[in-house]
Amino acid sequence: MQGGWDAAREISRRVGRGVADAGRATARAGRATVRAGKATAGGTARAGKATARGAQKVGQATRRLTYANGADRTGLGRLIELTAGHSGGDALVTVALASTVFFGVPVGEARGPVALYLVITMLPFALLAPFVGPILDRFRSGRRYVMAGTLFGRGLLCFAMAAAVGPGDLPTLFVGALGVLVLSKAYNVSRAAIMPSVLPADITLVSANARVALFSLVSAGVMVPVAAGLTAWLGSAAVLRTAMVAFLLIGVLAVRLPRHVDSPELEEEEAGGRPLRWRTLLNVGPAVAEAVWANVAIRLFSGFLLFFLLFLVQDKGVPWLAVRDPFFDIPKTIALLAAAAGLGGLVGAMVANWTRNHSPQLITLLTLAVTGATTIVAAVFFGLWTAVAVSLVTAFAQELGKLALDAIVQREIGEEVRSSTFGVVEAVLQLAWVFGGLVGLVLSLAESSAAGLITLAVALTGAFGWLIVRRRQRIRAAKLGAGVGGQAQDQRVRDLDARDLQDPDERDTDVRDQGAWDHSAQNQRADRRDQRVDTIDSTKPLTNPHG
């Protein structure tokens, strides 16, 4: 009996020691867990601080770039940041709509639905764009609020489209997407119109436009993968609501632009009793018209090349897809061509930022010439890398030529009709892109790369030759006019010399007559100057008080 109690006590002691050891082990494990938690928290905090410091440094570096060369004093830096946010918001909307049924047309689908998509989504916008400019010209004294209104309007449209994504309300999606496109273009027109008002003295218009475009491209390039990830994680509706918040916040920043971007109300010259509010390519002046036609040719080829190569690759009508198991299959080829186009646009903006003292007219002609030459080479030696080269060069020429065109319009067109001019220009370029896309759809039916590229190479070469001939005629006419003026001055000198040889009485009579004529002419010129005080020439560039 005594032995049994001893054995029980021994077992109890062992169990107690085991429980105690287990408790101590649990305590040690808890302390280790606490230390690990503290280490994890410390590492997370250090990583967060490092990320915050990196973001702060990136922000400071970006601010130094945007505010360089006096851009902080004139408001150009704020305009660059505002436009970068605008491009990021547009990228969010584009990616969100790309995953919905509204833009869910497969690339390999029949050409008819794709052509209908082109016409439905682009043509109404291009037709509405010319009416945006005159409306903006009427509110040029409040351009900050106009730009803010375009951003607030897009925010509200994003909210409506987000509500329409779930039930698949196609009419609401279509109207919302069209409204976002029109308001985006209205913002771009207003931004281009106020550029001379915020231009620093140290940089040119081409460089200022290039700086804005460069940061816009970088912002859009950063937001596209972010929007794609958010769309895959949260859905299109959540991304559209995110874009709504972004547009509303950016709209507040638009109101905070400097006040001098708002132009004072000026009385305009009237023709036939009506103010000059409407602009066409026939009355923008020869320099602007020349640049517009060069950009129209490039934009038409850009739309052609996009849809021509896209359907040609889908139909396997290119030589590198004819082999068995090619390394660059259809998805890789499309990705490579898209990357080349994106890189070309970025390089175009960077090159435009470096062209400080070069003529924008020559830049537009050179971009057209380079595009035509590259197209000829691609048509003769067509392959994967020539297709990549022509995609890169076309995007480069489109970006650089458009920036030069903006600088020409900002320099040559008076402020009272500048928005109208930009509206017409944007509409013409958009129509050219749509027409080029339709031509690419039709020519891709031949499944021959040489036929389509040779056709467009001939068109580009003809356009370049026609513009060169017109430019030479214009220069020759200007020189001839200068020569006629010089001859008139020489005749005036000869008349004065002949008068010195006249009889004194006759000379005195001529002098009195000439003096009376000069006095009358001076009075008439003074009257004309007084009449022009309150009027503005619709084609005369205004002086930039901040340049």
Side-chain angles (χ1 to χ4, degrees):
M1 187 66 181
Q2 184 66 32
W5 284 109
D6 292 339
R9 284 194 296 271
E10 183 65 24
I11 292 173
S12 299
R13 284 194 294 271
R14 290 179 180 178
V15 170
R17 285 195 297 270
V19 172
D21 293 339
R24 286 191 292 271
T26 303
R28 287 194 298 270
R31 289 192 294 270
T33 302
V34 171
R35 288 194 297 269
K38 291 181 179 179
T40 303
T44 304
R46 287 191 295 271
K49 291 180 181 178
T51 303
R53 286 194 298 268
Q56 184 179 8
K57 290 181 179 179
V58 170
Q60 292 174 353
T62 304
R63 178 61 63 89
R64 285 195 298 269
L65 291 175
T66 56
Y67 281 25
N69 303 112
D72 55 338
R73 298 189 301 270
T74 63
L76 178 60
R78 292 187 185 180
L79 184 62
I80 293 173
E81 295 173 349
L82 181 66
T83 307
H86 145 83
S87 299
D90 282 347
L92 286 173
V93 175
T94 302
V95 175
L97 292 178
S99 61
T100 63
V101 294
F102 182 60
F103 287 97
V105 179
V107 178
E109 196 172 314
R111 290 167 174 79
V114 177
L116 183 62
Y117 155 77
L118 265 179
V119 174
I120 289 178
T121 56
M122 297 300 176
L123 194 56
F125 157 70
L127 294 177
L128 287 174
F131 300 99
V132 173
I135 294 174
L136 296 178
D137 279 331
R138 292 183 180 274
F139 297 98
R140 61 179 180 270
S141 60
R143 280 181 173 148
R144 292 179 298 161
Y145 302 101
V146 170
M147 296 171 70
T150 62
L151 293 165
F152 291 147
R154 273 181 283 174
L156 297 177
L157 289 174
C158 287
F159 178 78
M161 288 189 293
V165 167
D169 187 359
L170 294 183
T172 302
L173 286 173
F174 170 73
V175 174
L178 181 61
V180 168
L181 285 172
V182 173
L183 291 177
S184 177
K185 192 59 66 176
Y187 174 89
N188 290 330
V189 169
S190 298
R191 190 267 308 162
I194 69 172
M195 184 62 73
S197 301
V198 297
L199 180 68
D202 298 335
I203 60 178
T204 62
L205 282 170
V206 177
S207 298
N209 291 324
R211 190 178 296 184
V212 174
L214 183 61
F215 281 94
S216 299
L217 289 173
V218 171
S219 174
V222 170
M223 290 307 299
V224 165
V226 173
L230 290 176
T231 303
W233 179 31
L234 300 175
S236 300
V239 176
L240 287 172
R241 292 188 180 94
T242 304
M244 176 197 69
V245 175
F247 280 130
L248 294 179
L249 293 177
I250 298 169
V252 176
L253 297 179
V255 181
R256 296 174 60 86
L257 285 172
R259 292 184 177 180
H260 61 256
V261 303
D262 297 332
S263 302
E265 294 291 346
L266 300 173
E267 184 181 351
E268 300 160 4
E269 287 186 350
E270 294 187 357
R274 297 182 63 184
L276 295 176
R277 289 289 187 183
W278 181 256
R279 281 278 161 174
T280 66
L281 290 181
L282 300 178
N283 59 1
V284 294
V288 177
E290 178 183 288
V292 170
W293 287 119
N295 276 270
V296 163
I298 297 174
R299 192 64 64 94
L300 187 147
F301 181 69
S302 173
F304 160 82
L305 191 67
L306 172 63
F307 291 94
F308 179 74
L309 290 181
L310 193 62
F311 280 98
L312 207 63
V313 170
Q314 284 292 327
D315 296 336
K316 296 184 178 180
V318 290
W320 64 88
L321 293 177
V323 299
R324 180 179 297 178
D325 296 330
F327 177 76
F328 285 100
D329 54 3
I330 293 177
K332 291 181 181 178
T333 299
I334 294 175
L336 183 62
L337 294 176
L343 179 62
L346 189 63
V347 173
M350 294 174 64
V351 170
N353 192 29
W354 295 333
T355 57
R356 298 182 181 276
N357 298 318
H358 298 282
S359 171
Q361 286 93 345
L362 295 180
I363 291 175
T364 56
L365 292 177
L366 285 176
T367 53
L368 180 58
V370 170
T371 305
T374 308
T375 307
I376 294 173
V377 173
V380 176
F381 306 101
F382 185 74
L384 174 62
W385 299 113
T386 52
V388 170
V390 75
S391 300
L392 189 147
V393 171
T394 302
F396 166 80
Q398 177 177 318
E399 185 69 25
L400 182 58
K402 181 59 170 61
L403 294 174
L405 171 61
D406 289 346
I408 293 172
V409 174
Q410 290 159 354
R411 185 190 65 188
E412 298 290 334
I413 302 299
E415 182 148 5
E416 68 282 356
V417 289
R418 190 178 294 148
S419 296
S420 300
T421 306
F422 272 114
V424 172
V425 168
E426 294 291 344
V428 171
L429 295 181
Q430 194 67 40
L431 287 173
W433 189 86
V434 172
F435 181 74
L438 295 176
V439 172
L441 289 177
V442 174
L443 292 182
S444 65
L445 293 171
E447 297 185 0
S448 173
S449 58
L453 290 176
I454 289 175
T455 302
L456 268 294
V458 171
L460 291 175
T461 305
F464 178 72
W466 176 64
L467 290 175
I468 289 295
V469 170
R470 288 194 58 183
R471 181 179 178 84
R472 290 180 63 87
Q473 291 176 350
R474 180 162 56 88
I475 293 175
R476 189 180 298 111
K479 290 182 179 179
L480 182 61
V484 171
Q487 293 175 2
Q489 182 67 23
D490 294 340
Q491 182 64 35
R492 172 69 174 169
V493 172
R494 286 195 295 269
D495 292 341
L496 291 174
D497 294 339
R499 191 178 62 186
D500 291 338
L501 299 176
Q502 289 180 355
D503 183 75
D505 295 335
E506 295 180 358
R507 188 172 57 203
D508 292 342
T509 302
D510 291 342
V511 168
R512 285 194 299 272
D513 295 340
Q514 182 67 28
W517 185 88
D518 290 341
H519 182 70
S520 176
Q522 290 175 359
N523 291 334
Q524 293 177 2
R525 286 194 295 269
D527 293 339
R528 286 196 297 268
R529 282 196 300 269
D530 293 339
Q531 294 174 0
R532 287 199 301 263
V533 167
D534 297 330
T535 60
I536 296 296
D537 186 0
S538 61
T539 59
K540 180 181 178 182
L542 302 182
T543 303
N544 174 22
H546 306 282

